[in-house]
Amino acid sequence: EREIELKSQQVNELQSKVETYEASTESRFDKQNALLRSWVAGFFALSATVLTLRHVYAHATHMASPDAQRKVLAILWMVPIYASTSWAAIVWPKLCDELALISSFYEAYCIHIFFSLLVAVLSAGRGEDTLDDPRELLGPDVDNVALKAPFCSHFL
């Protein structure tokens, strides 16, 4: 019986050592995984930013259509902003909500800029004053166009 107690005590000690080793190893793997995630995300964020900045430089140095290209430049900045906020959210998870807010604000701004870009392109450089008279933008047959939502008659 004494021998059984001794073996039981040895098993408990060994089990305690294994659990301690597992906890320290798991902690080390978690740190390595977090480091790997941040390096991979940082690499792709930096790559996307460099490519976008190259594109921004090309637009900024060759302004053939300034009215539209200024808006394209504003939209292009979305890539570095999203890339940097996403990378920062991976590195500092506690700041995730604040960083998502920054991305959301710029996304809303880009939607506005995209609409302005459409107006600038469709109005052929005449500017946003074209919105005052839709006949200039849509053509002389704008009065003959019946604007209906599709499939509305099926639900009536």
Side-chain angles (χ1 to χ4, degrees), residues 16-64:
S16 173
K17 287 180 183 178
V18 167
E19 288 173 358
T20 304
Y21 178 74
E22 283 178 351
S24 68
T25 304
E26 188 173 326
S27 172
R28 215 172 4 169
F29 284 147
D30 287 343
K31 288 178 185 175
Q32 288 175 354
N33 284 341
L35 182 65
L36 181 65
R37 275 193 304 266
S38 64
W39 275 96
V40 169
F43 171 75
F44 284 111
L46 186 63
S47 299
T49 301
V50 167
L51 289 173
T52 302
L53 291 178
R54 186 170 176 237
H55 201 90
V56 165
Y57 177 76
H59 269 285
T61 56
H62 298 82
M63 283 284 191

